[in-house]
Amino acid sequence: MTASGPWQWLLVATLLVLGCLFAVDAWRLAIHQREQGSRIGVLSALGGGLITGLSVGLATLNLQMSFDASTKYATWRADVESAASIPGFTPGDRDIRGINFSGKELRDADFTDVDLHGVQFRDAILKGAVFDGANLQEANLVGADLEAASFNTTDLRGALLQSANLTHAAVNGTTADKYAGAQVNGRTCWPRNVDRAILRTVEVKSFEKRDDSILTVRGEEREDGVKGGEIAPGCHLGER
């Protein structure tokens, strides 16, 4: 099917006007000229037929538009899922539930006010991304590069932030209670101006390394010399 064009809507509008005119004319004749029964019948039939055709046409157009929208969304989602790099990505009002963003490069992405509950961002490059007002509850941000990202009024409760790079990120625009249960480790890199109340709210936990071995929190602290959840002076997770 092809997308509906202006001419299709013009045709529907024309049919509606004609149907209404015929119906009104038939009603007028029925009141004032009862003897013209055959003419009244013809006009009534024409009006009723046009209005019925209009209803069918509108239903067809709505179905076509719905089909077109579904096709466009499916194509957009497939492109996002297969792309390795989408600079300036923004979902708009599209549903992104179930999309795995792990390992993707999403520099300067805009997730303002988006529901990202439980979304996978592990090892994603999210430098300069905007999460203002977003719901990041229980999102997986392990190893994510969040340098200079913005978290104003963001809900990060239960989010996984082990080894996340938050250098120069705007984290103080979110109250400490919105970090309750967020998990960090000795490699979590906070900005220098981080509110100490946030550091007292998060939970320090280790996570599985790529080789599937598990480091304890104390073991991670020995590796980088930083206590879990504290500011790591000059910390970085490598050039990306």
Side-chain angles (χ1 to χ4, degrees):
M1 294 185 182
T2 58
S4 57
W7 67 269
Q8 290 175 302
W9 288 110
L10 178 61
L11 177 60
V12 168
T14 302
L15 290 173
L16 174 62
V17 172
L18 289 175
C20 290
L21 287 175
F22 284 132
V24 169
D25 198 20
W27 175 77
R28 181 180 59 81
L29 288 173
I31 294 177
H32 300 291
Q33 304 180 37
R34 299 180 182 276
E35 69 280 3
Q36 300 188 28
S38 60
R39 185 180 175 189
I40 294 172
V42 170
L43 290 175
S44 298
L46 284 173
L50 287 172
I51 293 175
T52 301
L54 170 66
S55 300
V56 174
L58 283 175
T60 302
L61 284 175
N62 287 332
L63 181 61
Q64 178 176 320
M65 292 175 67
S66 177
F67 176 80
D68 290 344
S70 298
T71 301
K72 289 179 180 178
Y73 171 71
T75 301
W76 174 86
R77 187 180 179 99
D79 289 342
V80 171
E81 290 176 335
S82 62
S85 176
I86 317 175
F89 171 78
T90 178
D93 58 355
R94 301 181 185 90
D95 183 6
I96 59 174
R97 288 176 295 181
I99 295 180
N100 190 340
F101 293 98
S102 296
K104 294 184 183 294
E105 183 173 351
L106 302 168
R107 294 173 186 265
D108 301 314
D110 186 356
F111 291 104
T112 302
D113 297 325
V114 176
D115 185 0
L116 300 168
H117 191 150
V119 171
Q120 298 293 313
F121 284 114
R122 183 161 185 160
D123 295 322
I125 300 175
L126 291 155
K127 289 185 176 182
V130 178
F131 294 97
D132 296 348
N135 176 13
L136 277 169
Q137 289 187 53
E138 301 179 355
N140 186 343
L141 293 155
V142 173
D145 190 345
L146 297 159
E147 181 179 349
S150 180
F151 294 94
N152 291 310
T153 67
T154 306
D155 191 342
L156 287 147
R157 288 176 292 178
L160 306 182
L161 294 167
Q162 288 97 334
S163 289
N165 181 11
L166 291 151
T167 305
H168 306 303
V171 298
N172 293 335
T174 297
T175 55
D177 63 298
K178 290 297 185 180
Y179 287 88
Q183 297 181 20
V184 300
N185 64 350
R187 298 173 186 170
T188 301
C189 178
W190 293 98
R192 293 182 184 278
N193 67 339
V194 62
D195 186 347
R196 292 284 178 174
I198 293 174
L199 302 183
R200 291 193 294 270
T201 302
V202 296
E203 298 180 6
V204 182
K205 293 185 177 181
S206 58
F207 71 100
E208 290 189 7
K209 294 180 66 178
R210 293 184 184 277
D211 62 0
D212 293 330
S213 65
I214 297 178
L215 280 178
T216 63
V217 175
R218 183 167 297 180
E220 291 175 342
E221 291 171 3
R222 282 199 299 269
E223 282 199 4
D224 59 14
V226 178
K227 184 177 180 180
E230 289 195 348
I231 303 171
C235 76
H236 61 85
L237 301 178
E239 296 298 325
R240 299 189 182 194

